[in-house]
């Protein structure tokens, strides 16, 4: 049974999350504060938005204009929960981050400059002056594991933790299909050509609002040439000599684990929600 369900709760009371730029306020009891208590605090509130239900209780988001200091509390980044939090908690926090980012980025109309207004019962920001509407943004992107015989291609960015390698990824550009994006990004990032693309699955990725479309592909030709400023290192790895890999909850790790399971004749792992 899912502990977290998104939606538009209308009940009073319940819980609230205080959020600022992919970080959450927490105390010794966790991240969820009694909503009415949090309302009584002197918070620089940008917006309040209903999120859904956690263990049957309504949850609202308090999007703050700046981080605040509160006795016994600290700020914790979303990535801290990628490794340790259970799945439903991370799904709730990831969803809250995406909604908070959307609220922050659409306070004012991009057409006339007027102040946007939230729409009751719908996830939409509306400009009363020129009728412009903005829904939460999703940015489609591809992520691909490339194989060559038994070897897999993994790369790292300088932003990664030391020693960690992952699959290649990139955002879809206007006018191209996701498959075209795979070919273009692989060519740009490592100078290779690939073939036999196989769609595997997708995952919402709240850093900050991506929809990752996962693929397996086979190497066709070319030598590895890392893209300057984007790829710090890329190389072929054998399955028995893999580097530090991405967290198990990520679709990048799932693409790797799926290939390894199929190669060994094991059941397919389950893609995390």
């Amino acid at each position: 049974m899912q502990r977290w369900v998104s939606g538009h709760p209308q009940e009073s009371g319940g819980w609230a999350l205080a959020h600022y730029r992919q970080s959450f306020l927490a105390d010794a009891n966790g991240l969820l504060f009694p909503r009415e208590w949090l309302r009584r605090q002197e918070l620089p509130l940008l917006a309040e938005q209903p999120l859904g239900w956690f263990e049957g209780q309504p949850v609202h988001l308090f999007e703050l204009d700046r981080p605040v200091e509160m006795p016994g509390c600290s700020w914790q980044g979303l990535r801290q929960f990628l490794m340790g939090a259970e799945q439903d908690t991370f799904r709730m926090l990831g969803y809250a981050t995406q909604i908070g980012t959307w609220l922050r980025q659409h306070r004012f109309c991009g057409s006339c400059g007027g102040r946007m207004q939230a729409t009751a019962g719908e996830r939409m920001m509306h400009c009363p002056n020129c009728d412009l509407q903005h829904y939460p943004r999703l940015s489609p992107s591809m992520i691909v594991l490339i194989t060559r015989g038994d070897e897999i291609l993994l790369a790292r960015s300088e932003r990664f933790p030391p020693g960690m390698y992952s699959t290649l990824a990139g955002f879809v550009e206007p006018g191209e299909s996701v498959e075209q994006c795979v070919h273009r990004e692989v060519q740009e990032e490592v100078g290779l050509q690939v073939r036999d693309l196989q769609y595997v699955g997708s995952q919402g990725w709240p850093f900050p609002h991506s929809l990752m479309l996962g693929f397996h592909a086979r190497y066709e030709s070319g030598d590895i040439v890392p893209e300057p400023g984007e790829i710090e290192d890329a190389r072929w790895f054998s399955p028995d000599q893999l580097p530090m890999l991405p967290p198990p909850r990520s679709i990048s790790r799932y693409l790797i684990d799926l290939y390894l399971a199929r190669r060994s004749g094991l059941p397919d792992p389950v893609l995390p929600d």
Side-chain angles (χ1 to χ4, degrees):
M1 179 179 178
Q2 289 187 345
R3 300 170 65 200
W4 161 250
V5 180
S6 62
H8 292 79
Q10 302 300 316
E11 305 98 311
S12 60
W15 301 104
L17 291 164
H19 175 261
Y20 173 77
R21 296 187 183 276
Q22 295 207 336
S23 292
F24 292 90
L25 190 67
D27 65 7
N29 296 313
L31 301 162
L32 291 169
F33 294 85
R35 181 185 174 198
E36 298 305 325
W37 178 85
L38 202 59
R39 274 183 167 175
R40 294 194 295 270
Q41 309 310 304
E42 296 183 2
L43 298 176
L45 187 65
L46 277 183
E48 180 180 351
Q49 182 84 187
L51 290 179
W53 295 264
F54 191 78
E55 295 184 336
Q57 295 297 311
V59 178
H60 283 67
L61 172 71
F62 286 21
E63 180 65 19
L64 304 188
D65 184 46
R66 64 183 185 277
V68 294
E69 298 296 328
M70 293 179 60
C73 296
S74 63
W75 287 90
Q76 299 183 20
L78 178 62
R79 289 190 181 274
Q80 294 177 241
F81 301 96
L82 183 58
M83 296 291 290
E86 55 90 27
Q87 183 66 19
D88 277 343
T89 298
F90 182 74
R91 287 178 60 237
M92 176 181 67
L93 299 180
Y95 185 69
T97 289
Q98 293 181 79
I99 298 304
T101 300
W102 166 67
L103 290 170
R104 176 176 297 277
Q105 293 179 350
H106 293 91
R107 289 177 290 166
F108 299 96
C109 177
S111 179
C112 72
R115 182 171 288 277
M116 303 287 279
Q117 296 180 356
T119 304
E122 186 176 7
R123 207 72 76 190
M124 182 184 77
M125 297 293 285
H126 171 251
C127 177
N129 295 328
C130 68
D131 206 32
L132 185 71
Q133 300 174 353
H134 276 295
Y135 292 87
R137 175 182 175 184
L138 284 178
S139 300
S141 59
M142 74 82 200
I143 185 165
V144 60
L145 177 68
I146 304 167
T147 61
R148 185 181 68 175
D150 282 342
E151 297 177 309
I152 63 175
L153 180 77
L154 298 174
R156 61 170 282 106
S157 162
E158 62 180 13
R159 300 185 299 273
F160 286 4
M164 193 187 88
Y165 283 71
S166 185
T167 51
L168 299 180
F171 288 104
V172 180
E173 292 188 351
E176 70 179 358
S177 68
V178 184
E179 291 79 6
Q180 289 170 330
C181 177
V182 173
H183 289 285
R184 176 183 55 78
E185 286 284 354
V186 171
Q187 172 63 42
E188 290 177 356
E189 291 193 348
V190 292
L192 302 181
Q193 288 76 48
V194 294
R195 60 183 173 88
D196 300 336
L197 273 60
Q198 178 189 14
Y199 173 74
V200 172
S202 64
Q203 184 183 59
W205 195 238
F207 297 105
H209 39 59
S210 300
L211 175 61
M212 307 289 286
L213 304 170
F215 289 84
H216 282 170
R218 293 181 181 177
Y219 166 83
E220 182 173 40
S221 63
D223 297 319
I224 295 175
V225 180
E227 181 181 10
E230 185 69 23
I231 302 297
E232 184 179 77
D233 185 38
R235 63 182 75 173
W236 296 102
F237 290 92
S238 64
D240 57 350
Q241 292 184 320
L242 294 176
M244 176 182 170
L245 299 176
R249 183 167 289 152
S250 63
I251 190 171
S252 53
R253 178 63 175 270
Y254 174 76
L255 293 173
I256 298 169
D257 288 346
L258 178 63
Y259 168 74
L260 296 176
R262 290 177 174 177
R263 177 181 174 276
S264 302
L266 299 174
D268 289 358
V270 177
L271 175 64
D273 293 333

